[in-house]
Amino acid sequence: TPLPFAYVAHLRTTLVLYLGLWYVSMLSRFGPIVLPGLLLTSWALLGIEAAAVECSSPFQRKPNHLRLGRACSEVAQCVAQTLAESACEEARGVRYSRGGEVQVAAAAPIADSVPQHEE
């Protein structure tokens, strides 16, 4: 489910303001020695935010998104196969009770099932 625009805008604004103030605070307190750590931590936090946005709409035509069309065609093939097998079993007289037990109907002799033509 896509996230509402107001939520995403608020989240991004808060994150950018936090990181900006954090940089100012840490650089004024400890000097430029903390810059690699700040950059690494900022990269991680912004990456988490980007991943959350990507996860909110996973079925698009982008390389790292789920292939919904492929998944749907796979499910359709499985359902078609199940229905075909069920039809074959039904034609052979195989029935399933509610408890899952298999009941096989007595098959009629072939001679009795073929209509006789008189000449």
Side-chain angles (χ1 to χ4, degrees), residues 33-92:
I33 192 85
V34 296
L35 194 57
L38 290 172
L39 290 173
L40 184 65
T41 307
S42 298
W43 176 77
L45 289 174
L46 291 171
I48 291 170
E49 192 273 334
V53 170
E54 288 291 318
C55 288
S56 70
S57 57
F59 302 112
Q60 294 181 2
R61 296 189 185 268
K62 293 181 181 177
N64 61 337
H65 285 244
L66 298 173
R67 295 184 183 112
L68 183 60
R70 190 170 167 187
C72 287
S73 65
E74 186 73 26
V75 169
Q77 286 177 354
C78 290
V79 168
Q81 181 181 1
T82 302
L83 290 174
E85 289 172 359
S86 175
C88 288
E89 289 177 350
E90 196 169 304
R92 290 190 314 238

Side-chain angles (χ1 to χ4, degrees), residues 4-23:
F5 175 75
Y7 177 77
V8 173
H10 181 72
L11 180 66
R12 286 181 181 162
T13 303
T14 303
L15 184 60
V16 169
L17 286 174
Y18 172 77
L19 290 175
L21 292 174
W22 191 41
Y23 270 62

